[in-house]
Amino acid sequence: MMARKKKIHHRHNRLSFGGKLAFVLLTILSAVILIPIVFTFLYSFFPQSEITAYLKGRGSYDTTKWLDVLYSPAMFSLRQYYKIFIEEPSYLKLFCNSMMYTGAILVGQALIVPLTAYCLSRFQFHGRDLLFFCILVLMILPFQVTMAPSVTVLRWLGIMETPWAVILPMCFSPFYIFLLRQFMVGIPNELLEAGMVDGVGPVRGFVHVILPVCKPILGAAAALSFADCWNMVEQPLIYLANHTNLQPLSVMFNQISTDRADVAFAGSALYILPTLLIYLYFQEDIVAGIQLSELK
């Protein structure tokens, strides 16, 4: 009995050490990820002259010394935000374009993805497995492979160089269909059968039974999809090549020179903010979705 207690105590100490080690490693990893974000917001308040002088000295520092870092500006400035919102509304227009594309794509995915996953997971019909296999293939293929066929189809539909060229292809997301389908397969049939006893049909069963159970994974998928849509670059560059005024903000940062670094940092801070807010709002769903996926 005493030997068993010692063994359990030793295992507890070992797990505690492993937990502490994991905490330290995750803290270091979090710091590495958060430091660029923190400095982006910090440098967005630097005046133009100070941030330009600081960036110009990046290529001439001594390699034998630590790289100097500015932790606070000599004078906080909101001039760059004034430029974005008042003097140069083109940045605000591009920000609104990003919001429009992301919102429209998320609405389209909300209408298509859950229903498609529900049909693939709950209904038996001819060609279902072949259709699911095609979705898996599309999920594996990179955008560069499907780009040429997509351009051909969009030109045939007559929507090339329009916002619909960016929105419609993104509404059908093979990865999120696969993710939700795999989750729905693990939902016990007893839940739907109990609803059928009460006279619930397939549509009402989907709305009142399946969707509430899938709430965590839906929240996680929404947050991940928001990040994908918000950060897309290749699609608008190709589908809107001749209409830069319709492009989102994500494609414009590489066109900003160091002479406008203050505007670049301010624009980057505004660009990061929605993604952070979405993550904070859906963080519980993301964690719950990951945990439920592991259980299944």
Side-chain angles (χ1 to χ4, degrees):
M1 187 68 179
M2 293 297 296
R4 185 178 179 182
K5 288 184 178 180
K6 289 182 179 179
K7 185 177 181 180
I8 294 175
H9 181 70
H10 176 70
R11 183 182 301 174
H12 176 72
N13 291 337
R14 185 174 59 182
L15 291 176
S16 298
F17 175 76
K20 293 178 181 178
L21 180 61
F23 176 78
V24 172
L25 293 177
L26 290 175
T27 301
I28 296 174
L29 180 61
S30 300
V32 172
I33 295 174
L34 290 176
I35 284 175
I37 299 176
V38 172
F39 276 101
T40 298
F41 280 96
L42 177 62
Y43 289 166
S44 69
F45 296 102
F46 276 58
Q48 168 67 23
S49 57
E50 187 174 356
I51 192 65
T52 301
Y54 174 70
L55 292 177
K56 285 184 177 179
R58 295 303 87 216
S60 59
Y61 61 88
D62 189 355
T63 57
T64 61
K65 298 180 180 179
W66 287 96
L67 179 65
D68 59 311
V69 179
L70 294 179
Y71 295 101
S72 63
M75 179 182 64
F76 279 89
S77 174
L78 296 177
R79 175 67 180 175
Q80 50 273 20
Y81 287 99
Y82 180 81
K83 290 180 181 179
I84 291 177
F85 288 108
I86 305 299
E87 289 186 353
E88 301 177 11
S90 59
Y91 291 97
L92 189 60
K93 175 65 167 57
L94 296 175
F95 183 87
C96 293
N97 288 345
S98 296
M99 294 293 293
M100 177 193 68
Y101 290 127
T102 303
I105 292 170
L106 289 179
V107 170
Q109 290 182 351
L111 296 175
I112 295 174
V113 172
L115 284 172
T116 306
Y118 177 61
C119 293
L120 291 174
S121 63
R122 292 296 167 179
F123 294 100
Q124 296 288 341
F125 55 89
H126 183 69
R128 186 190 70 166
D129 294 337
L130 178 61
L131 178 60
F132 183 61
F133 175 77
C134 293
I135 291 175
L136 291 179
V137 172
L138 289 175
M139 181 182 68
I140 297 172
L141 293 177
F143 171 74
Q144 291 78 5
V145 175
T146 60
M147 176 184 62
S150 298
V151 171
T152 302
V153 173
L154 293 174
R155 286 179 177 172
W156 178 74
L157 293 174
I159 59 175
M160 193 69 177
E161 301 291 343
T162 67
W164 292 109
V166 177
I167 295 171
L168 289 181
M170 294 286 290
C171 289
F172 180 81
S173 178
F175 172 72
Y176 298 112
I177 292 175
F178 167 77
L179 183 67
L180 292 180
R181 186 261 180 190
Q182 294 302 105
F183 187 88
M184 291 180 183
V185 167
I187 298 177
N189 292 326
E190 289 77 7
L191 292 176
L192 286 175
E193 292 174 356
M196 292 179 182
V197 172
D198 297 332
V200 175
V203 177
R204 291 183 60 189
F206 170 72
V207 175
H208 297 289
V209 178
I210 298 297
L211 288 183
V213 175
C214 294
K215 182 181 177 181
I217 199 68
L218 288 173
L224 295 175
S225 181
F226 180 91
D228 290 339
C229 300
W230 189 255
N231 296 319
M232 62 180 176
V233 175
E234 294 174 324
Q235 292 88 342
L237 281 177
I238 295 171
Y239 301 149
L240 302 173
N242 299 323
H243 292 79
T244 56
N245 61 316
L246 296 177
Q247 292 179 348
L249 187 60
S250 55
V251 304
M252 298 302 294
F253 287 113
N254 62 339
Q255 303 177 17
I256 302 176
S257 63
T258 55
D259 295 333
R260 298 170 57 84
D262 58 336
V263 175
F265 277 109
S268 300
L270 291 176
Y271 185 76
I272 294 172
L273 188 59
T275 307
L276 292 178
L277 295 177
I278 289 294
Y279 171 75
L280 292 176
Y281 182 80
F282 285 106
Q283 61 178 337
E284 293 183 359
D285 291 332
I286 294 174
V287 175
I290 294 174
Q291 291 175 345
L292 290 174
S293 299
E294 291 177 351
L295 292 176
K296 294 179 181 298

